[in-house]
C-alpha cells in the first residue's frame, strides 16, 4: 500500500471504568475494517486509561469512524483524543523493538513520590524509556498507611544500555539514600521461568549465626563471633576460619544442639516464600557453611527439598571440635548449585541463589538471579541484586509475582 493511502491514529480514551468499554470501542473500529497495531489499558482507582494505535484502511479514511467514537465517549461521559501518527514516526517506533528490555523493581516498606521521582530520573539519565509501570504489592487501607508494610512497583523499560553493571551501581547507591531496594534485571524468557532456589542458612533463612549460638553455650562466644564477622566480610579465608571456630567448640555437650535449634528465629518471609515455591513446583535447597543438624531441622520445618552443609563430629555425646568430610565453603556451594541444576535438568539461568556472606558470592554469581539478602557491604557491592528492606518473600516480586497472583493461587489450593 502506498504511503499516502495509510492513516495511523493514536486513540486515547479515559474516564470512569465500567464493563464493556473496550468491547464497544473495538466493535466500532471492526465495522470499518480497522487494524489494531498496538493496544494498552490500565485501571487505577476505577479510572480507565485505554490506548489504541489504529491503522485505518483507505475505505475508512473519509468515514465517520472517529465521529462515532467521539459520540460514544460523550455518551459515557469520557474523554477521547485522536492523534495522527506519521509513517516515519511509526516505523521509528517499530525499529525500537530490538532494543534491550529490562525490569526495574522498587521495593520498600512504603512507596513515596520522591522514590518514584529518583528512580525514574535515573532510568532517563541512562537512556532508557519506561513502557509500563505496574504495582505488584496489594492495596493499602488508609487506616494502615502509616504502619510498616510492604510495597513494590515494577517498571518495564527499554533502551540501548551497554553497561548494566554501571546502571546497577547507580541504583545501589540510590537505594542506600532512599532506604529502599532497587533491582534491575534483563527482561528475558528466564525471568518468570525459574525452577530452582538455593539458600544460605545462617543470617539468611534464620536471623542468627548458629556457630555463634553454639559458642555462647560453650562459653567462647566473643572469640567465635569476632572470627565469624571477619569471615563473612571477606577478611579471612572461610575454610580456615571455620575450622578455627569449630575447634573452640570442643567439649560442648551434644544435647545443646536441640536447644539451640528450637530457639533459632526464622527470617521474615521465609515460611511464605518456601511454601509458595513448593506450591509452584520449584526445587529448593539449603547450601550452608553451617551445620547439617540445623539445616535438616529447617528442612523439616519449612519443607525444603535438600540440604548440603557441614557435619559436626560428635563422640561420646560431646562435640570434638572437628567436622566430618569436606568443608562447605564458597567454591563448594557453587559446585553444589551446578550439581543440583545438572541433576534436575535445570539451566543455571533458571536458578536463584540467596545469601548474605562473602562465601556466598560464588553461587550468587553462578545463578541466573543471585540475591544478596541483608548482606554485608562487600557482598551487596559485588552481587547483581540486593534485598535489605523487606523479608525473604520479596523475592517473589523479583520473579514477577504480584500479591494478587499469590492470593489467587492460595484460594485455588484452599
Amino acid at each position: 500500500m502506498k504511503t499516502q493511502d495509510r492513516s495511523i491514529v493514536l486513540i486515547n480514551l479515559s474516564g470512569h471504568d465500567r464493563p464493556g468499554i473496550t468491547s464497544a470501542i473495538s466493535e466500532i473500529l471492526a465495522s470499518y475494517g480497522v487494524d489494531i497495531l498496538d493496544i494498552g489499558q490500565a485501571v487505577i482507582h476505577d479510572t480507565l486509561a485505554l490506548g489504541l494505535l489504529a491503522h485505518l484502511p483507505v475505505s475508512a479514511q473519509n468515514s465517520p469512524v472517529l465521529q462515532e467514537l467521539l459520540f460514544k465517549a460523550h455518551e459515557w461521559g469520557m474523554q477521547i483524543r485522536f492523534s495522527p501518527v506519521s509513517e516515519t514516526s511509526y516505523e521509528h517506533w517499530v525499529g525500537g523493538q530490538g532494543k534491550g528490555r529490562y525490569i526495574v523493581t522498587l521495593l520498600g516498606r512504603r512507596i513515596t513520590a520522591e522514590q518514584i521521582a529518583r528512580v525514574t530520573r535515573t532510568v532517563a539519565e541512562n537512556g532508557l524509556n519506561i513502557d509500563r509501570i505496574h504495582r505488584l504489592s496489594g492495596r493499602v487501607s488508609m487506616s494502615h498507611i502509616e504502619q510498616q508494610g510492604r510495597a513494590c512497583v515494577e517498571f518495564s523499560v527499554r533502551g540501548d544500555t551497554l553497561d548494566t553493571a554501571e546502571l546497577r551501581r547507580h541504583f545501589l547507591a540510590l537505594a542506600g539514600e532512599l532506604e529502599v531496594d532497587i533491582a534491575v534485571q534483563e527482561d528475558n524468557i528466564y525471568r518468570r521461568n525459574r525452577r530452582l532456589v538455593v539458600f544460605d542458612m545462617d543470617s539468611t533463612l534464620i536471623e542468627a549465626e548458629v556457630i555463634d549460638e553454639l559458642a555462647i553455650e560453650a562459653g567462647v562466644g566473643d572469640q567465635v563471633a569476632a572470627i565469624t564477622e571477619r569471615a563473612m566480610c571477606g577478611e579471612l579465608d572461610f575454610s580456615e576460619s571455620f575450622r578455627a571456630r569449630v575447634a573452640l567448640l570442643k567439649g560442648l555437650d551434644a544435647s545443646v544442639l536441640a536447644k539451640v535449634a528450637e530457639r533459632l528465629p526464622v527470617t521474615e518471609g521465609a515460611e511464605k516464600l518456601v511454601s509458595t515455591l513448593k506450591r509452584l513446583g520449584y526445587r529448593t535447597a539449603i547450601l550452608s557453611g553451617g551445620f547439617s543438624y540445623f539445616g535438616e531441622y529447617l528442612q523439616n520445618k519449612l519443607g525444603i527439598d535438600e540440604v548440603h552443609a557441614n557435619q559436626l563430629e560428635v563422640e561420646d555425646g560431646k562435640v570434638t571440635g572437628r567436622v566430618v568430610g569436606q568443608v562447605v565453603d564458597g567454591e563448594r556451594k557453587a559446585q553444589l548449585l551446578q550439581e543440583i541444576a545438572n541433576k534436575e535438568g535445570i539451566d543455571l539461568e533458571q536458578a536463584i541463589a540467596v545469601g548474605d556472606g562473602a562465601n556466598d558470592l560464588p553461587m550468587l554469581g553462578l545463578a541466573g538471579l543471585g540475591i544478596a539478602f541483608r548482606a554485608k557491604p562487600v557482598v551487596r557491592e559485588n552481587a547483581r541484586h540486593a534485598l535489605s528492606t523487606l523479608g525473604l518473600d520479596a523475592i517473589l516480586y523479583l520473579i514477577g509475582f504480584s500479591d494478587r497472583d499469590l492470593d489467587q493461587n492460595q484460594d485455588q489450593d484452599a
Side-chain angles (χ1 to χ4, degrees), residues 213-221 248-252 256:
E213 297 298 313
L214 293 176
I216 292 171
E217 297 292 335
V220 291
L248 291 170
L249 301 179
K250 183 177 180 179
L252 180 67
V256 170

Side-chain angles (χ1 to χ4, degrees), residues 45-212:
H45 195 61
D46 294 329
T47 299
L48 170 72
L50 171 64
L52 303 100
L53 191 60
H55 170 230
L56 280 61
V58 175
S59 60
Q61 289 176 21
N62 295 314
S63 71
V65 56
L66 301 185
Q67 187 178 36
E68 282 195 37
L69 294 175
L70 182 62
F71 287 158
K72 180 58 72 172
H74 179 74
E75 176 186 322
W76 290 328
M78 303 182 76
Q79 299 294 318
I80 193 166
R81 187 175 75 247
F82 306 107
S83 304
V85 177
S86 69
E87 183 174 343
T88 300
S89 175
Y90 175 74
E91 292 299 338
H92 177 75
W93 174 76
V94 170
Q97 65 188 344
K99 292 184 178 181
R101 301 190 66 86
Y102 306 89
I103 297 295
V104 177
T105 310
L106 170 62
L107 309 100
R109 293 298 178 179
R110 56 189 295 191
I111 299 298
T112 68
E114 180 186 6
Q115 294 162 4
I116 298 290
R118 298 286 298 279
V119 169
T120 53
R121 185 194 311 163
T122 301
V123 166
E125 289 173 348
N126 282 271
L128 298 168
N129 290 326
I130 299 173
D131 283 338
R132 181 179 59 85
I133 303 175
H134 181 51
R135 173 178 51 83
L136 297 182
S137 52
R139 298 173 182 173
V140 180
S141 168
M142 287 302 296
S143 62
H144 298 90
I145 198 71
E146 298 298 329
Q147 297 180 10
Q148 188 181 64
R150 42 186 282 139
C152 178
V153 175
E154 176 185 279
F155 304 82
S156 175
V157 305
R158 59 181 168 82
D160 294 323
T161 297
L162 300 178
D163 192 347
T164 53
E166 182 64 20
L167 179 60
R168 289 190 177 102
R169 282 192 288 272
H170 286 169
F171 279 131
L172 181 62
L174 183 59
E177 290 180 38
L178 299 176
E179 297 184 344
V180 295
D181 292 316
I182 307 169
V184 56
Q185 53 186 310
E186 283 191 60
D187 189 6
N188 56 32
I189 61 172
Y190 295 111
R191 181 170 175 261
R192 290 196 65 161
N193 192 28
R194 312 290 185 187
R195 294 178 55 198
L196 169 66
V197 187
V198 299
F199 300 94
D200 173 46
M201 178 174 66
D202 298 64
S203 297
T204 299
L205 278 176
I206 55 174
E207 295 178 336
E209 292 285 337
V210 169
I211 197 166
D212 291 352

Side-chain angles (χ1 to χ4, degrees), residues 298-314:
L298 279 175
Q299 178 183 26
N300 293 329
K301 184 171 185 174
L302 299 177
I304 289 173
D305 293 311
E306 55 186 286
V307 174
H308 301 272
N310 298 298
Q311 184 178 344
L312 189 60
E313 186 180 69
V314 176

